[in-house]
């Protein structure tokens, strides 16, 4: 009898303690709200039929189409669009290596301004290189050409958080 009483007492205490939780603990976590409170900017992306994440931005005040590439070490602009985006450039000793091949010659461009919706990056150094391998592949799939690739330099320097399920890129200044 004493065992039964002890078990019932423990059960009652467990139920009582379980009902004393803080309401905030039971509310669902909202990533977007938390990041906006932490001064992140919310940038909407689109998923291309190729699977790439597409984002529209302005480079030096000119609208452009970019893809997000978490594996790209740097942000790269199609060299043929140097004039379109009013970019200065000088030869770089760096050569690119990646999915497009090896020893791809690049140019360096200083003092650029990038804007994605309300998020701005001023006086940004970029690389220019031939992106024919990317754009040829996109064209063969019936997709629009891109102007550049947003790489790990922007993602790392601005504490990027990618919400894949909602196709949102969060960046912090």
């Amino acid at each position: 009898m004493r065992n039964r009483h002890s078990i019932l007492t423990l059960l009652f205490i467990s139920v009582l303690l379980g009902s004393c939780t803080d309401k905030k603990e039971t509310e669902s976590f909202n990533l977007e709200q938390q990041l906006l409170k932490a001064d992140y900017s919310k940038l909407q992306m689109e998923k291309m039929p190729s699977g790439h994440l597409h984002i529209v931005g302005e480079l030096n005040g000119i609208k452009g189409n970019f893809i997000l590439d978490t594996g790209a070490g740097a942000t790269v602009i199609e060299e043929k669009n140097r004039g379109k985006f009013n970019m200065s450039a000088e030869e770089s000793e760096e050569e690119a290596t990646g999915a497009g091949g090896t020893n791809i010659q690049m140019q360096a461009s200083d003092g650029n301004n990038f804007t994605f919706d309300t998020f701005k990056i001023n006086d940004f150094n970029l690389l220019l290189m031939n992106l024919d391998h990317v754009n040829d592949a996109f064209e063969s799939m019936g997709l629009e050409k891109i102007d550049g690739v947003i790489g790990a330099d922007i993602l790392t320097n601005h504490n990027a958080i990618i919400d894949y399920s909602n196709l949102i890129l969060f960046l912090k200044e």
Side-chain angles (χ1 to χ4, degrees):
M1 182 79 143
R2 187 167 164 92
N3 260 351
R4 184 181 291 193
H5 180 66
S6 295
I7 292 172
L8 287 175
T9 302
L10 286 174
L11 181 61
F12 175 74
I13 291 172
S14 297
V15 170
L16 182 63
L17 289 175
S19 66
C20 293
T21 60
D22 185 7
K23 186 177 179 181
K24 285 186 179 181
E25 288 180 29
T26 60
E27 292 176 7
S28 63
F29 177 78
N30 185 304
L31 176 66
E32 181 178 328
Q33 286 178 357
Q34 295 302 314
L35 292 175
L36 293 175
K37 281 182 191 176
D39 296 325
Y40 274 82
S41 293
K42 174 185 171 183
L43 309 171
Q44 190 64 52
M45 299 182 293
E46 295 177 0
K47 190 170 185 180
M48 299 171 64
S50 63
H52 292 88
L53 297 177
H54 173 264
I55 188 165
V56 174
E58 286 187 9
L59 177 55
N60 299 327
I62 310 298
K63 184 179 172 182
N65 292 305
F66 304 93
I67 58 170
L68 192 69
D69 185 349
T70 60
T75 298
V76 178
I77 305 302
E78 165 57 64
E79 67 184 3
K80 293 176 185 136
N81 293 338
R82 178 179 159 197
K84 171 183 175 178
F85 293 117
N86 302 315
M87 299 174 76
S88 63
E90 54 187 59
E91 291 300 318
S92 172
E93 291 182 17
E94 293 185 56
E95 292 182 337
T97 301
T102 59
N103 302 325
I104 301 170
Q105 191 59 46
M106 297 190 302
Q107 298 175 11
S109 179
D110 299 336
N112 297 286
N113 298 310
F114 237 137
T115 304
F116 301 98
D117 195 22
T118 60
F119 186 81
K120 296 180 182 175
I121 305 170
N122 294 316
D123 197 27
F124 190 60
N125 300 331
L126 291 164
L127 296 171
L128 293 119
M129 66 179 263
N130 184 303
L131 294 177
D132 282 348
H133 59 286
V134 175
N135 282 320
D136 288 348
F138 283 171
E139 276 191 318
S140 73
M141 292 184 273
L143 302 174
E144 186 176 354
K145 289 183 177 184
I146 60 158
D147 294 304
V149 175
I150 306 302
D153 52 352
I154 288 178
L155 301 175
T156 301
N157 292 337
H158 296 284
N159 302 311
I161 296 175
I162 302 168
D163 179 353
Y164 277 98
S165 61
N166 294 305
L167 297 176
I168 298 171
L169 172 63
F170 292 95
L171 295 176
K172 188 169 185 170
E173 290 192 45

